[in-house]
Amino acid sequence: MRKSFEFGVRIAAAAFLVAGTFAGAAAQTPRPGTVTPGKGENYDPVGMPVGSFRVFPVLELVELYNSNVYATSGGTRDDFVTVVRPGLELRSNWNNHMLNFFTSGAFGFYAKNSRMDYQDFRVGSEFRVDIQRQWNIYGGAQFNRLHEDPGSPNATPNAITDPNKYNQSIANLGYYQRMNRFSARLDGRVDNYKYTNNRNQPGGASITNRDRDRTEWTESLRLGYELVEKYEIWVQGGLNQRNYNRNVDSAGFRRDSTGWEALLGATIDFGGITQVEAFVGYRDQDYSDSRLGHIRGVMFGMTGFWNPIVPLFVKPFVKRTIEETVSTTQAGYWATAFGVNVDYAMRPNVKINGGFSYTINDYKRINTPGATSRNDDYINFEIGLRYLPTENFYVGPSYQFTNRNSNAAGNDFSRHLVALRGGVQF
């Protein structure tokens, strides 16, 4: 029954993609030599009216080749994966205030390695209440059912295991007000993580993930001042609390921690062609267990875009955070990522996107005999093309390469992902 279902899904996916390609060839007509959408050339989905809302449905089918399913350094296994991605957004269409609802899913079916099948989904809502112009309260709530990729930092390296699956519940609430040149933003967020158990071999022993169940709280206050129009400097202070469900984990550690950060930043807009926000500061994460100690150091980051010509957006980024780990010989790690994403519209209905990133995961060794240091470097490159024969249909290929180089034995891997995707949107 399962094989018949998967075979039917694959046949439907192939027919969907092939039909879309031929439909696109028939529907496409010559366009003016400009990428700026003119009349009848806007290929963005417009949604369907539902009272004072608009609903945006989408359905995407992906046929994917994965050259290293388990992200292992040797004895790699490849496979074909069919992914079905439905989605639905309901957006308010009001002059003031905002209320949106959304849900989406990603259901993956492996041809040979069925134990890697996954059923991810999310559902949530976000709102904004406008008290006055540039004065509002905002927030939202979301529930995610997700899985961890075998190549992620907290997956067991070089192991043929079921994927780690978990539930993430999120809620946030914020306050923003701007008074002449001054601005203030107060924000709070809570994330709850609940993991399921998995197995290390077909029919093998169960691997418990209860040690990872936790709740993370973050609070921040940001104060800004606009020196001149579109040139703002700001300071931000933040606190966080990471509370694990188990006071002592299976390795005998208390992984609860509290942290603080202080940042100084600037946001600059060079006339809409270039915009950048950059900051530098200090971060300290203090763990309850004295053997884990502190993770502390300089923090920095940057986001922005460069739009030298109308169809091209170049978006560089730098991000540095302190992350949790499942390792019994490390307390946590600094994750520092440098990268750039590029979007280019060859035509209003032909879009190319790509990206490159280099990430350094620098782990802090715990204060116990036999604990080892660890450093992982990730390189990720991806490129894709999306062709829209009409505003309601798209199809296109994509490619992604990932490589991890580690000083810990058995942690290296490389992987190629080649995909053909097609979708309908309204």
Side-chain angles (χ1 to χ4, degrees), residues 236-414:
Q236 179 173 309
L239 302 172
N240 74 79
Q241 305 83 38
R242 299 178 178 181
N243 302 319
Y244 281 77
N245 290 5
R246 304 182 76 176
N247 292 331
V248 179
D249 67 16
S250 56
F253 293 103
R254 291 179 289 116
R255 289 194 172 268
D256 288 357
S257 66
T258 58
W260 62 268
E261 64 184 28
L263 310 175
L264 173 64
T267 305
I268 303 174
D269 186 343
F270 298 97
I273 296 177
T274 301
Q275 185 179 92
V276 63
E277 179 170 281
F279 66 85
V280 65
Y282 191 82
R283 172 80 179 270
D284 186 322
Q285 197 72 25
D286 181 15
Y287 292 85
S288 297
D289 200 309
S290 60
R291 293 169 294 177
L292 304 181
H294 290 252
I295 298 181
R296 57 177 66 148
V298 175
M299 216 180 149
F300 50 83
M302 186 269 291
T303 59
F305 70 82
W306 178 45
N307 184 212
I309 56 177
V310 171
L312 176 64
F313 277 88
V314 181
K315 296 172 282 188
F317 64 87
V318 178
K319 184 179 181 182
R320 183 168 165 85
T321 59
I322 295 176
E323 301 293 341
E324 300 292 278
T325 180
V326 297
S327 171
T328 58
T329 60
Q330 283 95 27
Y333 63 94
W334 280 106
T336 307
F338 308 85
V340 61
N341 294 312
V342 178
D343 295 324
Y344 179 67
M346 294 179 60
R347 303 176 68 85
N349 64 331
V350 180
K351 301 178 181 181
I352 298 175
N353 58 78
F356 174 83
S357 66
Y358 178 69
T359 304
I360 303 170
N361 289 348
D362 185 13
Y363 290 76
K364 180 187 181 296
R365 183 175 55 185
I366 63 176
N367 299 319
T368 59
T372 57
S373 61
R374 177 178 164 189
N375 186 276
D376 295 348
D377 297 341
Y378 288 82
I379 293 176
N380 188 79
F381 168 78
E382 54 186 316
I383 188 169
L385 181 145
R386 192 162 85 153
Y387 167 56
L388 295 93
T390 73
E391 65 271 16
N392 300 127
F393 185 87
Y394 62 87
V395 64
S398 67
Y399 168 75
Q400 182 183 78
F401 171 75
T402 303
N403 181 80
R404 179 170 68 192
N405 183 35
S406 175
N407 66 351
N411 272 19
D412 297 349
F413 81 90
S414 61

Side-chain angles (χ1 to χ4, degrees), residues 85-303:
R85 292 177 175 163
L88 187 69
E89 290 189 43
L90 185 65
R91 305 177 193 168
S92 61
N93 189 24
W94 308 333
N95 292 329
N96 295 305
H97 315 302
M98 178 268 288
L99 179 61
N100 298 337
F101 301 91
F102 54 86
T103 183
S104 63
F107 308 98
F109 305 93
Y110 284 73
K112 296 180 293 185
N113 298 273
S114 59
R115 63 183 302 163
M116 290 294 293
D117 290 357
Y118 58 87
Q119 304 81 36
D120 294 349
F121 67 89
R122 66 168 190 153
V123 60
S125 177
E126 58 184 356
F127 72 90
R128 188 190 69 247
V129 178
D130 296 322
I131 302 171
Q132 291 182 1
R133 187 173 179 268
Q134 297 186 325
W135 181 9
N136 60 67
I137 297 172
Y138 62 90
Q142 183 173 331
F143 176 81
N144 300 326
R145 169 71 171 184
L146 302 171
H147 78 286
E148 288 182 326
D149 182 89
S152 64
N154 283 322
T156 305
N158 247 359
I160 311 300
T161 66
D162 297 339
N164 293 330
K165 299 179 181 179
Y166 64 98
N167 298 330
Q168 181 187 18
S169 302
I170 307 170
N172 75 292
L173 184 64
Y175 174 91
Y176 173 79
Q177 186 173 5
R178 185 175 184 88
M179 300 158 286
N180 297 322
R181 294 184 180 273
F182 292 93
S183 65
R185 183 184 300 273
L186 180 64
D187 193 87
R189 173 175 168 140
V190 57
D191 292 75
N192 178 266
Y193 297 88
K194 182 73 173 179
Y195 287 80
T196 63
N197 296 336
N198 56 0
R199 295 184 181 275
N200 58 7
Q201 289 290 341
S206 176
I207 301 174
T208 181
N209 286 305
R210 288 182 56 198
D211 288 346
R212 303 180 64 186
D213 295 349
R214 67 188 185 273
T215 301
E216 298 184 0
W217 304 81
T218 58
E219 308 87 29
S220 66
L221 173 63
R222 172 167 159 169
L223 302 174
Y225 178 75
E226 190 176 49
L227 298 172
V228 295
E229 187 177 6
K230 298 182 179 181
Y231 285 69
E232 183 185 43
I233 59 172
W234 49 267
V235 294
Q236 179 173 309
L239 302 172
N240 74 79
Q241 305 83 38
R242 299 178 178 181
N243 302 319
Y244 281 77
N245 290 5
R246 304 182 76 176
N247 292 331
V248 179
D249 67 16
S250 56
F253 293 103
R254 291 179 289 116
R255 289 194 172 268
D256 288 357
S257 66
T258 58
W260 62 268
E261 64 184 28
L263 310 175
L264 173 64
T267 305
I268 303 174
D269 186 343
F270 298 97
I273 296 177
T274 301
Q275 185 179 92
V276 63
E277 179 170 281
F279 66 85
V280 65
Y282 191 82
R283 172 80 179 270
D284 186 322
Q285 197 72 25
D286 181 15
Y287 292 85
S288 297
D289 200 309
S290 60
R291 293 169 294 177
L292 304 181
H294 290 252
I295 298 181
R296 57 177 66 148
V298 175
M299 216 180 149
F300 50 83
M302 186 269 291
T303 59

